[in-house]
Amino acid sequence: MKSIVPLFAALAIAFAPAGQALAAAKDPHAASSPAKSKAKANKARKAKAAGKAGKRVSIKSTRVLKAAPAAAVIDYDGEHHNFLEWQAVRAFMDDVSAQHGFDRAWLESLFGQARFIDSAVQLVKPAPPGKPKNWQAYSARFIEPIRIAAGVRFWNENAETLARAEAAYGVPAEIIVGIIGVETIYGRDTGKFRVLDTLATLAFAYPETPNRSSRMAFFRSELAQTLLFAREHKIDPFSLLGSFAGAVGMPQFMPGNILKYGVDFNADGQIDLRNSPEDAIGSVANFLIQHGWNPEYRGNPATPAEVSPSQAWEPLLERGLAATLRPEELRAAGVVTEAALPAERPYGLVDLQNGAEPTEYWVANDNFFAITKYNRSYFYAMSVIELGRAVRASRGG
């Protein structure tokens, strides 16, 4: 979820201040320090004399692995910056300590272990001007045999939960299946970055772009939400893994959205979007209903349309991600659908550009635009709809 959203393998043990032993155990780069190198070189000589000190190290290491097993096995490039030297980080720690009661010494210990993730900075940079938008090329990445087959398995394995979510929230199973499939191929690719690393990097070192200030404010807010989520669920913040932008779990929720819309749908006392399909399913349904999904609207959220050569309909494309048009307004502008549109509902005109090929036009209702709140893109919303429809058809309706 790019704008909101969306982000948990290790939603488990105690939330406690992290000391130097934790930093060394979690940081693969710590092995490159002189002390570590010397220890490795003398490992055989010292093996027989492990003694009490060795036992203490062993006990601490075991405790670290239990507290954050996923974080202990991460493997990505990240430079160990001293974030504590950055004035903006110190100001942030002052703010969250004052507003939310976090212990300042604990915050310093935490940010003292954070890594700078340059790949996250590079990936959030705007793409260079390239080929024209092409809906057919975009959708081919998602509506394809491997993802459809994975969707059939996911639906079959979670049919009861999907039916329960549909009954509770009014969101069809195929839409939930479509979102989780587009986001992570049903949990296959949820991200391996420590969320705290990526959010700290983007909160204080976002690249120079026209929207830099607003984006840094967003990521600082998400960083604070990560700390709040970890405290509420009594977990180590470093155990939260996600995408390069901090999105977590099968549905790729941002930490703030986990706090707002996450659902403990299996009633085990935790919201685990990484390991629990039940929680992921319930959370996606809850997000959509909170963002305008209307259970009373049955059928497809979008209907193919024809537009007149007069192009009187062009201004209707500038209404934003919302259903604001009455059927008579669409007809008056030369927009025609095969089936009559219910007069009492609002709609929006959607264009799906196809490069050099003709653009496709659709008339969409509130439910289509609810999906765009997950990701602010017509292409995304239509891919969710089409993937869910393809999975449903593949499993026999």
Side-chain angles (χ1 to χ4, degrees), residues 333-362:
V335 179
V336 179
T337 58
E338 184 174 328
L341 301 174
E344 69 279 5
R345 299 178 186 176
Y347 298 90
L349 182 61
V350 171
D351 60 331
L352 302 180
Q353 300 173 36
N354 275 315
E357 300 300 317
T359 296
E360 294 181 25
Y361 295 94
W362 297 69

mmCIF file of all heavy atoms in Angstrom, residues 333-362:
data_model
loop_
_atom_site.group_PDB
_atom_site.id
_atom_site.type_symbol
_atom_site.label_atom_id
_atom_site.label_comp_id
_atom_site.label_asym_id
_atom_site.label_seq_id
_atom_site.Cartn_x
_atom_site.Cartn_y
_atom_site.Cartn_z
ATOM 1 N N ALA A 333 -22.572 13.349 -21.004
ATOM 2 C CA ALA A 333 -21.215 13.599 -21.512
ATOM 3 C C ALA A 333 -20.807 12.593 -22.571
ATOM 4 O O ALA A 333 -19.682 12.661 -23.085
ATOM 5 C CB ALA A 333 -20.222 13.583 -20.360
ATOM 6 N N GLY A 334 -21.686 11.655 -22.883
ATOM 7 C CA GLY A 334 -21.386 10.684 -23.933
ATOM 8 C C GLY A 334 -20.746 9.404 -23.451
ATOM 9 O O GLY A 334 -20.066 8.725 -24.223
ATOM 10 N N VAL A 335 -20.975 9.050 -22.181
ATOM 11 C CA VAL A 335 -20.446 7.796 -21.628
ATOM 12 C C VAL A 335 -21.595 6.796 -21.554
ATOM 13 O O VAL A 335 -22.624 7.065 -20.919
ATOM 14 C CB VAL A 335 -19.839 8.000 -20.228
ATOM 15 C CG1 VAL A 335 -19.310 6.680 -19.675
ATOM 16 C CG2 VAL A 335 -18.724 9.043 -20.285
ATOM 17 N N VAL A 336 -21.412 5.648 -22.201
ATOM 18 C CA VAL A 336 -22.488 4.656 -22.294
ATOM 19 C C VAL A 336 -21.984 3.311 -21.786
ATOM 20 O O VAL A 336 -20.881 2.869 -22.136
ATOM 21 C CB VAL A 336 -22.975 4.511 -23.756
ATOM 22 C CG1 VAL A 336 -24.076 3.462 -23.839
ATOM 23 C CG2 VAL A 336 -23.454 5.851 -24.288
ATOM 24 N N THR A 337 -22.783 2.665 -20.964
ATOM 25 C CA THR A 337 -22.487 1.304 -20.505
ATOM 26 C C THR A 337 -23.521 0.346 -21.068
ATOM 27 O O THR A 337 -24.657 0.749 -21.357
ATOM 28 C CB THR A 337 -22.502 1.224 -18.966
ATOM 29 O OG1 THR A 337 -23.780 1.656 -18.484
ATOM 30 C CG2 THR A 337 -21.412 2.092 -18.359
ATOM 31 N N GLU A 338 -23.116 -0.908 -21.197
ATOM 32 C CA GLU A 338 -24.026 -1.902 -21.777
ATOM 33 C C GLU A 338 -25.238 -2.111 -20.893
ATOM 34 O O GLU A 338 -26.372 -2.191 -21.380
ATOM 35 C CB GLU A 338 -23.281 -3.224 -21.975
ATOM 36 C CG GLU A 338 -24.114 -4.294 -22.651
ATOM 37 C CD GLU A 338 -23.317 -5.546 -22.963
ATOM 38 O OE1 GLU A 338 -22.100 -5.416 -23.240
ATOM 39 O OE2 GLU A 338 -23.894 -6.646 -22.920
ATOM 40 N N ALA A 339 -25.013 -2.221 -19.591
ATOM 41 C CA ALA A 339 -26.123 -2.390 -18.648
ATOM 42 C C ALA A 339 -26.451 -1.045 -18.013
ATOM 43 O O ALA A 339 -25.566 -0.203 -17.801
ATOM 44 C CB ALA A 339 -25.746 -3.398 -17.564
ATOM 45 N N ALA A 340 -27.724 -0.840 -17.711
ATOM 46 C CA ALA A 340 -28.151 0.407 -17.083
ATOM 47 C C ALA A 340 -27.550 0.523 -15.684
ATOM 48 O O ALA A 340 -27.436 -0.469 -14.956
ATOM 49 C CB ALA A 340 -29.674 0.460 -17.010
ATOM 50 N N LEU A 341 -27.164 1.738 -15.319
ATOM 51 C CA LEU A 341 -26.575 1.984 -13.997
ATOM 52 C C LEU A 341 -27.679 2.359 -13.008
ATOM 53 O O LEU A 341 -28.522 3.208 -13.321
ATOM 54 C CB LEU A 341 -25.554 3.117 -14.071
ATOM 55 C CG LEU A 341 -24.381 2.910 -15.027
ATOM 56 C CD1 LEU A 341 -23.543 4.188 -15.104
ATOM 57 C CD2 LEU A 341 -23.521 1.735 -14.569
ATOM 58 N N PRO A 342 -27.691 1.758 -11.803
ATOM 59 C CA PRO A 342 -28.693 2.170 -10.800
ATOM 60 C C PRO A 342 -28.610 3.663 -10.530
ATOM 61 O O PRO A 342 -27.537 4.205 -10.257
ATOM 62 C CB PRO A 342 -28.290 1.351 -9.566
ATOM 63 C CG PRO A 342 -27.593 0.142 -10.128
ATOM 64 C CD PRO A 342 -26.862 0.642 -11.345
ATOM 65 N N ALA A 343 -29.732 4.334 -10.621
ATOM 66 C CA ALA A 343 -29.759 5.793 -10.566
ATOM 67 C C ALA A 343 -29.341 6.354 -9.214
ATOM 68 O O ALA A 343 -28.865 7.482 -9.121
ATOM 69 C CB ALA A 343 -31.161 6.297 -10.916
ATOM 70 N N GLU A 344 -29.509 5.576 -8.149
ATOM 71 C CA GLU A 344 -29.270 6.111 -6.812
ATOM 72 C C GLU A 344 -27.795 6.062 -6.395
ATOM 73 O O GLU A 344 -27.432 6.550 -5.325
ATOM 74 C CB GLU A 344 -30.106 5.342 -5.778
ATOM 75 C CG GLU A 344 -29.692 3.902 -5.524
ATOM 76 C CD GLU A 344 -30.210 2.913 -6.564
ATOM 77 O OE1 GLU A 344 -30.818 3.385 -7.555
ATOM 78 O OE2 GLU A 344 -30.013 1.704 -6.375
ATOM 79 N N ARG A 345 -26.938 5.503 -7.223
ATOM 80 C CA ARG A 345 -25.534 5.343 -6.845
ATOM 81 C C ARG A 345 -24.641 6.341 -7.584
ATOM 82 O O ARG A 345 -24.889 6.655 -8.746
ATOM 83 C CB ARG A 345 -25.056 3.923 -7.157
ATOM 84 C CG ARG A 345 -25.818 2.844 -6.418
ATOM 85 C CD ARG A 345 -25.309 1.474 -6.818
ATOM 86 N NE ARG A 345 -26.108 0.410 -6.238
ATOM 87 C CZ ARG A 345 -25.936 -0.887 -6.487
ATOM 88 N NH1 ARG A 345 -24.984 -1.264 -7.338
ATOM 89 N NH2 ARG A 345 -26.709 -1.791 -5.920
ATOM 90 N N PRO A 346 -23.561 6.788 -6.926
ATOM 91 C CA PRO A 346 -22.578 7.637 -7.623
ATOM 92 C C PRO A 346 -21.536 6.779 -8.334
ATOM 93 O O PRO A 346 -21.290 5.623 -7.956
ATOM 94 C CB PRO A 346 -21.948 8.428 -6.484
ATOM 95 C CG PRO A 346 -22.013 7.500 -5.307
ATOM 96 C CD PRO A 346 -23.294 6.700 -5.484
ATOM 97 N N TYR A 347 -20.894 7.394 -9.327
ATOM 98 C CA TYR A 347 -19.907 6.662 -10.122
ATOM 99 C C TYR A 347 -18.735 7.571 -10.456
ATOM 100 O O TYR A 347 -18.773 8.788 -10.261
ATOM 101 C CB TYR A 347 -20.541 6.127 -11.417
ATOM 102 C CG TYR A 347 -21.658 5.153 -11.173
ATOM 103 C CD1 TYR A 347 -22.979 5.598 -11.055
ATOM 104 C CD2 TYR A 347 -21.401 3.795 -11.038
ATOM 105 C CE1 TYR A 347 -24.011 4.710 -10.805
ATOM 106 C CE2 TYR A 347 -22.434 2.902 -10.784
ATOM 107 C CZ TYR A 347 -23.722 3.364 -10.668
ATOM 108 O OH TYR A 347 -24.735 2.478 -10.411
ATOM 109 N N GLY A 348 -17.703 6.952 -10.990
ATOM 110 C CA GLY A 348 -16.572 7.696 -11.512
ATOM 111 C C GLY A 348 -16.164 7.120 -12.854
ATOM 112 O O GLY A 348 -16.403 5.932 -13.128
ATOM 113 N N LEU A 349 -15.563 7.959 -13.701
ATOM 114 C CA LEU A 349 -15.081 7.502 -15.001
ATOM 115 C C LEU A 349 -13.597 7.167 -14.880
ATOM 116 O O LEU A 349 -12.801 7.981 -14.400
ATOM 117 C CB LEU A 349 -15.296 8.578 -16.060
ATOM 118 C CG LEU A 349 -14.871 8.211 -17.481
ATOM 119 C CD1 LEU A 349 -15.655 7.008 -18.007
ATOM 120 C CD2 LEU A 349 -15.039 9.414 -18.409
ATOM 121 N N VAL A 350 -13.231 5.963 -15.309
ATOM 122 C CA VAL A 350 -11.869 5.451 -15.167
ATOM 123 C C VAL A 350 -11.275 5.217 -16.547
ATOM 124 O O VAL A 350 -11.928 4.611 -17.415
ATOM 125 C CB VAL A 350 -11.871 4.130 -14.363
ATOM 126 C CG1 VAL A 350 -10.508 3.472 -14.392
ATOM 127 C CG2 VAL A 350 -12.325 4.389 -12.928
ATOM 128 N N ASP A 351 -10.053 5.692 -16.754
ATOM 129 C CA ASP A 351 -9.366 5.422 -18.019
ATOM 130 C C ASP A 351 -8.155 4.539 -17.764
ATOM 131 O O ASP A 351 -7.360 4.786 -16.865
ATOM 132 C CB ASP A 351 -8.936 6.719 -18.703
ATOM 133 C CG ASP A 351 -7.990 7.547 -17.856
ATOM 134 O OD1 ASP A 351 -8.064 7.461 -16.607
ATOM 135 O OD2 ASP A 351 -7.165 8.283 -18.421
ATOM 136 N N LEU A 352 -8.031 3.481 -18.529
ATOM 137 C CA LEU A 352 -6.896 2.567 -18.456
ATOM 138 C C LEU A 352 -6.132 2.684 -19.768
ATOM 139 O O LEU A 352 -6.524 2.119 -20.789
ATOM 140 C CB LEU A 352 -7.370 1.128 -18.232
ATOM 141 C CG LEU A 352 -8.211 0.876 -16.975
ATOM 142 C CD1 LEU A 352 -8.610 -0.598 -16.899
ATOM 143 C CD2 LEU A 352 -7.488 1.296 -15.718
ATOM 144 N N GLN A 353 -5.053 3.437 -19.728
ATOM 145 C CA GLN A 353 -4.285 3.702 -20.944
ATOM 146 C C GLN A 353 -3.494 2.476 -21.380
ATOM 147 O O GLN A 353 -2.990 1.719 -20.548
ATOM 148 C CB GLN A 353 -3.348 4.882 -20.704
ATOM 149 C CG GLN A 353 -4.072 6.163 -20.339
ATOM 150 C CD GLN A 353 -3.133 7.270 -19.932
ATOM 151 O OE1 GLN A 353 -2.040 7.416 -20.464
ATOM 152 N NE2 GLN A 353 -3.557 8.067 -18.960
ATOM 153 N N ASN A 354 -3.359 2.308 -22.687
ATOM 154 C CA ASN A 354 -2.704 1.136 -23.254
ATOM 155 C C ASN A 354 -1.577 1.497 -24.210
ATOM 156 O O ASN A 354 -1.409 0.883 -25.263
ATOM 157 C CB ASN A 354 -3.729 0.260 -23.980
ATOM 158 C CG ASN A 354 -4.438 -0.684 -23.036
ATOM 159 O OD1 ASN A 354 -3.804 -1.326 -22.190
ATOM 160 N ND2 ASN A 354 -5.748 -0.756 -23.144
ATOM 161 N N GLY A 355 -0.798 2.503 -23.852
ATOM 162 C CA GLY A 355 0.293 2.886 -24.723
ATOM 163 C C GLY A 355 -0.224 3.376 -26.065
ATOM 164 O O GLY A 355 -1.074 4.267 -26.137
ATOM 165 N N ALA A 356 0.276 2.764 -27.136
ATOM 166 C CA ALA A 356 -0.137 3.162 -28.480
ATOM 167 C C ALA A 356 -1.504 2.597 -28.852
ATOM 168 O O ALA A 356 -2.117 3.027 -29.838
ATOM 169 C CB ALA A 356 0.900 2.709 -29.505
ATOM 170 N N GLU A 357 -1.997 1.648 -28.075
ATOM 171 C CA GLU A 357 -3.301 1.045 -28.347
ATOM 172 C C GLU A 357 -4.423 1.885 -27.724
ATOM 173 O O GLU A 357 -4.167 2.733 -26.867
ATOM 174 C CB GLU A 357 -3.337 -0.384 -27.788
ATOM 175 C CG GLU A 357 -2.294 -1.313 -28.392
ATOM 176 C CD GLU A 357 -2.473 -1.459 -29.896
ATOM 177 O OE1 GLU A 357 -3.635 -1.611 -30.332
ATOM 178 O OE2 GLU A 357 -1.468 -1.387 -30.623
ATOM 179 N N PRO A 358 -5.666 1.655 -28.127
ATOM 180 C CA PRO A 358 -6.772 2.448 -27.589
ATOM 181 C C PRO A 358 -6.916 2.316 -26.078
ATOM 182 O O PRO A 358 -6.715 1.238 -25.504
ATOM 183 C CB PRO A 358 -8.002 1.868 -28.317
ATOM 184 C CG PRO A 358 -7.451 1.274 -29.572
ATOM 185 C CD PRO A 358 -6.097 0.741 -29.204
ATOM 186 N N THR A 359 -7.261 3.395 -25.438
ATOM 187 C CA THR A 359 -7.502 3.417 -23.993
ATOM 188 C C THR A 359 -8.812 2.714 -23.684
ATOM 189 O O THR A 359 -9.783 2.820 -24.432
ATOM 190 C CB THR A 359 -7.563 4.871 -23.490
ATOM 191 O OG1 THR A 359 -6.283 5.482 -23.697
ATOM 192 C CG2 THR A 359 -7.918 4.941 -22.012
ATOM 193 N N GLU A 360 -8.827 1.975 -22.578
ATOM 194 C CA GLU A 360 -10.068 1.358 -22.106
ATOM 195 C C GLU A 360 -10.742 2.314 -21.126
ATOM 196 O O GLU A 360 -10.077 2.953 -20.307
ATOM 197 C CB GLU A 360 -9.766 0.041 -21.380
ATOM 198 C CG GLU A 360 -9.202 -1.048 -22.257
ATOM 199 C CD GLU A 360 -8.951 -2.321 -21.470
ATOM 200 O OE1 GLU A 360 -9.623 -2.519 -20.427
ATOM 201 O OE2 GLU A 360 -8.080 -3.112 -21.883
ATOM 202 N N TYR A 361 -12.082 2.381 -21.189
ATOM 203 C CA TYR A 361 -12.837 3.221 -20.267
ATOM 204 C C TYR A 361 -13.812 2.368 -19.475
ATOM 205 O O TYR A 361 -14.432 1.441 -20.002
ATOM 206 C CB TYR A 361 -13.581 4.322 -21.035
ATOM 207 C CG TYR A 361 -12.642 5.295 -21.697
ATOM 208 C CD1 TYR A 361 -12.243 5.122 -23.020
ATOM 209 C CD2 TYR A 361 -12.121 6.376 -20.992
ATOM 210 C CE1 TYR A 361 -11.363 6.005 -23.638
ATOM 211 C CE2 TYR A 361 -11.236 7.262 -21.602
ATOM 212 C CZ TYR A 361 -10.860 7.070 -22.909
ATOM 213 O OH TYR A 361 -9.972 7.934 -23.508
ATOM 214 N N TRP A 362 -13.898 2.691 -18.193
ATOM 215 C CA TRP A 362 -14.775 1.957 -17.283
ATOM 216 C C TRP A 362 -15.539 2.947 -16.418
ATOM 217 O O TRP A 362 -15.048 4.041 -16.126
ATOM 218 C CB TRP A 362 -13.965 1.031 -16.374
ATOM 219 C CG TRP A 362 -13.216 -0.058 -17.095
ATOM 220 C CD1 TRP A 362 -12.137 0.084 -17.929
ATOM 221 C CD2 TRP A 362 -13.501 -1.449 -17.054
ATOM 222 N NE1 TRP A 362 -11.732 -1.135 -18.395
ATOM 223 C CE2 TRP A 362 -12.543 -2.104 -17.868
ATOM 224 C CE3 TRP A 362 -14.454 -2.223 -16.387
ATOM 225 C CZ2 TRP A 362 -12.532 -3.475 -18.047
ATOM 226 C CZ3 TRP A 362 -14.440 -3.599 -16.559
ATOM 227 C CH2 TRP A 362 -13.491 -4.218 -17.389
#
